[in-house]
């Protein structure tokens, strides 16, 4: 019997509160892909983007993977990861180079020294982003190659998450007979896809409002400056409607999507067909009065968090919204009033029409980060030798970027 050769490519998983998506693809360049296949299932065992039941999450991943295996080979897996208690900070490390001319060797040494100084108890370093080099505490450079000096310093932006979260995600995949090679912070991935180069340069914040959490990432002068999470999202809006109108969760979600509006409040009548066959009548005003306070709360919490970060407070000129819960009518204008910044909604515009919705910004960001040479250097590998894998990624970037 003749066997059918399956396509082979990179594999991305997006593990969310409401759904798990698997997608396999081949990179053409950092902005273009060929997709071989994709599948998704409703999530089970995930609360606020965090694994709450390993068995249920493992089963969902296995179901998605089994469906994909009929179409393509699944390997080289990268997945997103979210931690509302993640830690981020800038760090500086320095090595003595003894007056020699700086080569790729010295650049690698400086990065290794930076990583070795970044171990924290019960935390996993998942990204270490090189920002700039300094020579003898004077010059600030993005490319120090060929310059003589005594001391080479490196500033990095580091992101840590709880070790237990990494272990849980890793175990869920292992239970599904899959091995995760790389993990990427969800906020980081969404921002990399949604923000333009110009927006990253002038100072912008990307807010990805998902089902369970709102993910925040600020960029300034082309580099990430602030990443955080708020444990509120679209599901909280649905729960408010469910309780406020005393209807089922399914019906609450339906009318949120169909009639939810932050822009207009009116007396338009909305008929609800209940499970028992009866009808319930509400007005648009009532629905608006339930939805508005929750979005107000989410944005005010984010605004306060941004105020606590100096760059986000004074350097942000643009707010970019994305994520499944960003699709409610009037959201951009509503957010602009709260943040007092220009605001736009980011909707993917790819050649794959089925992915051109804000809820897919994260998985598209994961693909872009895996394909972009400059971003490969900061993607953390899940392995026993975690520091080595970050260094290996950085080495490959050095070889390709510093010619």
């Amino acid at each position: 019997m003749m066997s059918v050769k399956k396509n082979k490519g990179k594999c991305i998983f997006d593990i969310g509160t409401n759904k798990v998506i698997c997608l396999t693809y081949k990179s053409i360049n950092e902005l273009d892909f060929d997709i071989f296949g994709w599948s998704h299932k409703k999530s089970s065992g995930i609360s606020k983007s965090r694994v709450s039941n390993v068995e249920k999450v493992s089963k969902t991943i296995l179901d998605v993977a089994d469906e994909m295996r009929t179409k393509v080979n699944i390997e080289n897996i990268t997945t997103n990861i979210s931690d509302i208690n993640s830690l981020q900070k800038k760090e500086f490390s320095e090595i003595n180079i003894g007056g020699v001319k700086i080569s790729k060797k010295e650049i690698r040494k400086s990065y290794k020294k930076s990583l070795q100084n970044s171990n924290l108890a019960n935390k996993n370093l998942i990204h270490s982003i090189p920002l700039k080099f300094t020579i003898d505490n004077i010059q600030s450079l993005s490319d120090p190659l060929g310059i003589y000096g005594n001391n080479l310093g490196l500033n990095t932006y580091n992101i840590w998450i709880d070790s237990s979260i990494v272990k849980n995600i890793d175990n869920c995949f292992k239970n599904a007979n899959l091995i995760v090679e790389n993990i990427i912070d969800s906020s980081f991935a969404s921002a990399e896809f949604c923000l333009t180069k110009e927006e990253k340069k002038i100072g912008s914040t990307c807010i990805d409002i998902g089902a369970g959490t709102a993910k925040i990432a600020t960029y300034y002068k082309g580099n990430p400056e602030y990443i955080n999470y708020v444990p509120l999202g679209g599901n909280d809006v649905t729960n408010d409607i469910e309780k406020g109108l005393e209807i089922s969760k399914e019906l609450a979600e339906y009318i949120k999507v169909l009639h939810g509006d932050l822009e207009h409040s009116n007396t338009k009548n909305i008929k609800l067909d209940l499970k028992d066959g009866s009808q319930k009548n509400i007005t648009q005003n009532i629905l608006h009065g339930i939805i508005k306070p929750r979005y107000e709360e989410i944005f005010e919490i984010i605004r306060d968090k941004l105020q606590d970060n100096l760059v986000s407070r004074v350097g942000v000129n643009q707010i970019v919204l994305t994520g499944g819960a960003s699709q409610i009518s009037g959201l951009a204008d509503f957010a602009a009033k709260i943040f007092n910044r220009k605001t736009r909604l980011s909707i993917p515009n790819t050649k794959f029409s089925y992915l051109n919705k804000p809820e897919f910004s994260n998985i598209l960001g994961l693909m872009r980060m895996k394909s972009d040479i400059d971003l490969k250097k900061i993607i953390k590998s899940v392995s026993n030798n975690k520091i080595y894998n970050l260094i290996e990624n950085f080495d490959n970037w050095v070889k390709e970027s510093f010619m």
Side-chain angles (χ1 to χ4, degrees):
M1 182 177 176
M2 186 176 68
S3 62
V4 178
K5 186 177 180 181
K6 296 180 182 178
N7 284 317
K8 192 176 180 181
K10 299 172 184 174
C11 181
I12 298 285
F13 272 83
D14 180 359
I15 309 295
T17 300
N18 278 10
K19 65 183 179 299
V20 172
I21 308 171
C22 176
L23 187 151
T24 57
Y25 70 100
K26 178 180 73 174
S27 301
I28 298 173
N29 55 55
E30 66 181 72
L31 297 175
D32 197 10
F33 318 94
D34 275 338
I35 294 177
F36 299 139
W38 80 306
S39 178
H40 62 93
K41 300 284 184 187
K42 184 179 165 98
S43 294
S44 181
I46 298 175
S47 176
K48 301 294 181 183
S49 302
R50 188 167 184 159
V51 174
S52 57
N53 186 309
V54 170
E55 186 177 342
K56 288 183 178 180
V57 177
S58 301
K59 176 67 166 55
T60 306
I61 291 172
L62 181 61
D63 288 345
V64 172
D66 283 346
E67 187 173 302
M68 284 294 291
R69 284 190 182 104
T70 64
K71 311 168 190 174
V72 294
N73 290 318
I74 298 181
E75 55 188 26
N76 303 319
I77 292 171
T78 295
T79 188
N80 65 319
I81 200 160
S82 303
D83 179 11
I84 60 174
N85 298 313
S86 62
L87 173 65
Q88 313 85 27
K89 65 178 179 176
K90 290 180 181 178
E91 295 203 320
F92 176 78
S93 63
E94 191 174 56
I95 61 170
N96 184 282
I97 57 174
V100 302
K101 183 168 71 171
I102 296 172
S103 67
K104 295 176 185 179
K105 179 181 177 182
E106 282 71 42
I107 291 174
R108 291 189 191 98
K109 281 183 178 179
S110 68
Y111 192 62
K112 289 177 183 178
K113 175 70 178 297
S114 173
L115 292 175
Q116 288 163 357
N117 292 341
S118 300
N119 289 324
L120 295 178
N122 303 316
K123 294 281 185 181
N124 275 37
L125 177 67
I126 63 166
H127 300 302
S128 184
I129 305 158
L131 300 177
K132 63 182 179 180
F133 295 92
T134 60
I135 300 173
D136 298 333
N137 295 316
I138 300 173
Q139 292 177 283
S140 179
L141 304 163
S142 59
D143 180 1
L145 276 180
I147 299 175
Y148 288 87
N150 292 306
N151 295 294
L152 176 63
L154 174 63
N155 288 93
T156 57
Y157 182 82
N158 295 338
I159 304 172
W160 292 266
I161 61 174
D162 286 349
S163 300
S164 61
I165 293 179
V166 177
K167 290 176 183 175
N168 285 334
I169 285 288
D170 199 26
N171 285 336
C172 289
F173 278 92
K174 284 179 178 176
N175 292 343
N177 300 313
L178 296 169
I179 302 298
V180 175
E181 291 192 353
N182 302 294
I183 56 175
I184 297 176
D185 179 85
S186 297
S187 298
F188 198 11
S190 293
E192 278 297 333
F193 182 78
C194 294
L195 299 181
T196 66
K197 286 185 178 179
E198 181 61 22
E199 284 172 337
K200 291 176 186 175
K201 184 178 179 181
I202 65 170
S204 300
T205 295
C206 177
I207 302 171
D208 181 339
I209 313 173
T213 59
K215 309 157 191 72
I216 312 160
T218 295
Y219 276 68
Y220 183 67
K221 293 185 177 179
N223 293 313
E225 282 286 344
Y226 179 74
I227 285 176
N228 212 327
Y229 289 81
V230 171
L232 296 170
N235 284 358
D236 296 283
V237 179
T238 302
N239 292 341
D240 291 344
I241 298 171
E242 177 191 7
K243 293 173 184 175
L245 299 180
E246 297 181 327
I247 58 177
S248 69
K249 184 166 290 188
E250 293 75 20
L251 184 55
E253 179 68 20
Y254 175 77
I255 66 168
K256 180 185 77 173
V257 172
L258 195 63
H259 299 289
D261 192 334
L262 289 167
E263 196 169 11
H264 302 105
S265 178
N266 55 57
T267 57
K268 174 186 172 184
N269 192 54
I270 301 171
K271 290 184 179 180
L272 307 179
D273 295 319
L274 305 181
K275 283 183 176 180
D276 62 6
S278 63
Q279 280 192 336
K280 187 169 192 172
N281 293 318
I282 65 166
T283 63
Q284 181 76 42
N285 283 338
I286 292 174
L287 184 61
H288 182 270
I290 295 172
I291 291 174
K292 182 183 174 184
R294 181 63 78 177
Y295 274 99
E296 215 162 37
E297 179 190 16
I298 292 170
F299 285 144
E300 286 176 353
I301 291 172
I302 293 172
R303 183 189 61 194
D304 291 345
K305 286 181 177 292
L306 294 176
Q307 285 291 317
D308 290 337
N309 176 264
L310 178 61
V311 172
S312 296
R313 183 168 72 247
V314 302
V316 168
N317 295 288
Q318 175 93 31
I319 301 292
V320 176
L321 304 172
T322 194
S326 71
Q327 299 175 77
I328 192 164
S329 179
L331 185 67
D333 289 340
F334 182 77
K337 293 173 185 175
I338 292 176
F339 292 108
N340 195 28
R341 299 286 189 278
K342 288 193 299 181
T343 304
R344 71 173 179 88
L345 177 63
S346 176
I347 301 174
N349 182 23
T350 71
K351 62 185 181 183
F352 309 103
S353 58
Y354 51 88
L355 291 177
N356 291 336
K357 298 177 182 178
E359 64 198 78
F360 296 120
S361 292
N362 193 261
I363 199 162
L364 290 166
L366 296 173
M367 284 198 294
R368 179 169 293 180
M369 290 187 71
K370 280 290 290 178
S371 304
D372 190 308
I373 289 173
D374 285 337
L375 292 171
K376 282 181 180 178
K377 66 183 178 290
I378 52 81
I379 296 174
K380 176 182 171 303
S381 296
V382 180
S383 74
N384 292 328
N385 195 342
K386 300 176 180 65
I387 293 297
Y388 170 79
N389 279 278
L390 271 169
I391 292 170
E392 184 178 41
N393 284 339
F394 187 78
D395 278 352
N396 293 334
W397 172 72
V398 169
K399 290 172 186 175
E400 294 171 318
S401 300
F402 292 102
M403 306 304 290

